[in-house]
Structure formats: C-alpha cells, structure tokens
Amino acid sequence: MQIADQTVVSFHYTLTDDQGTVIDSSAGREPLTYLHGVGQIVPGLEKEMAGRTVGDQFKVDVAPEEGYGVRHAELEQQVPREAFQGVEDIQPGMQFQGRGPQGVINVTVTKIEDGVVHIDGNHPLAGQTLHFDVQVTEVREATAEEQQHGHVHGPGGHHH
C-alpha cells in the first residue's frame, strides 16, 4: 500500500542539521506514527512521504520554508527581568509561554544581561534545513474514526 491522504504511517527517522549533528531520532524507540495529509509532520517531509511504501528507505532535505519556517527578527525581543515574577533563576535555554498578538507563544531565553532577558519566539529549528533519514515501517488505511478525529488511535497514536 502506498502512502496517501487518510493512511496511517509509521516510520523510523533520524533528523540532523547541516553539520550532521543528530537533532532527534526514533532509534531505540517506537517508530513515529501519524495520519498522512492532515499536517501532523512538517510539510516538506509529508510531501516526500507520499507514494512511499513499507520498507522504503530514503533521505530528504527540507528547506526552512517547508520545515519550521524562516526566522523572524521581530520574534526576538528584550524583556525586563521583572516580567518573570515568581521565577527566581532564569537561565539561557529555558522556555516559557507568553501572550502575543496572535495568542499564546512559546519563547526561549537566549541570554540575560543587565536585568534584561533576551527571548526568542521562533521555533528552535526555524531557519534550518532539516536532513531526514527515513525508513517506512507500516502503512495502513485510517479507520473512519481516525479520519473523523484527524489523528491516529491505538498503538503509536492517541488513546481515548
């Protein structure tokens, strides 16, 4: 069976950056399972998965525009330390949720200097080309309930 919209796909992957450093991998874990065609994985990878079958192994490079997006300078801001009331020890790399014009936004602390906290609302992988090494392990038709709910049920998926 080929991967197409409304199929449930399981695959192993290794994600690396331009230097070959592993960012994430399913090695030693269960494969990632998703419902194809509903945007549960980055668009560039989902496009490359279409038409593949069980046993296919391939590498794909996903540009930022089809991955986690390009970096937006306006999402990098400086905030007074006082804005983090109740947090005693702020360190670079810490993540917080804040409110922006579009609603809730996740931000990462990039540095602290002179009572000012530098935050970045870009996804940590924004602006990076994503290098995937993929092995498709299972493809099946989605059940009517999975199609209706827009996600996988059972092993590797959502449990109600």
Side-chain angles (χ1 to χ4, degrees), residues 91-111:
Q91 297 293 323
M94 292 177 83
Q95 296 183 329
F96 295 91
Q97 282 191 338
R99 294 223 177 268
Q102 261 69 118
V104 175
I105 184 170
N106 293 315
V107 299
T108 302
V109 175
T110 56
K111 70 178 175 179

Side-chain angles (χ1 to χ4, degrees), residues 102-147:
Q102 261 69 118
V104 175
I105 184 170
N106 293 315
V107 299
T108 302
V109 175
T110 56
K111 70 178 175 179
I112 301 106
E113 63 182 8
D114 301 326
V116 175
V117 179
H118 297 250
I119 59 171
D120 187 347
N122 287 289
H123 186 282
L125 298 177
Q128 292 189 40
T129 298
L130 308 173
H131 305 280
F132 287 95
D133 189 349
V134 174
Q135 179 183 9
V136 180
T137 60
E138 183 182 359
V139 182
R140 67 170 173 81
E141 290 290 333
T143 66
E145 186 178 46
E146 288 170 328
Q147 291 178 33

Side-chain angles (χ1 to χ4, degrees), residues 60-84:
V60 61
D61 298 329
V62 176
E65 295 81 4
E66 295 217 290
Y68 290 100
V70 296
R71 292 194 61 75
H72 296 283
E74 66 272 14
L75 294 177
E76 297 177 42
Q77 298 182 2
Q78 298 176 17
V79 181
R81 171 65 180 90
E82 295 78 42
F84 293 85

Side-chain angles (χ1 to χ4, degrees), residues 6 12 16 18 28 31 39 43 49 51 59 65 72 101 105 138 141:
Q6 303 305 319
H12 278 291
T16 57
D18 286 336
M49 296 291 278
K59 294 180 186 229
E65 295 81 4
H72 296 283
I105 184 170
E138 183 182 359
E141 290 290 333

Side-chain angles (χ1 to χ4, degrees), residues 15 34 39-49 62-64 66-69 123 125 130 132:
L15 170 61
Y34 76 101
Q40 293 180 334
I41 61 174
V42 294
L45 180 57
E46 189 167 55
K47 285 180 188 175
E48 291 293 326
M49 296 291 278
V62 176
E66 295 217 290
Y68 290 100
H123 186 282
L125 298 177
L130 308 173
F132 287 95

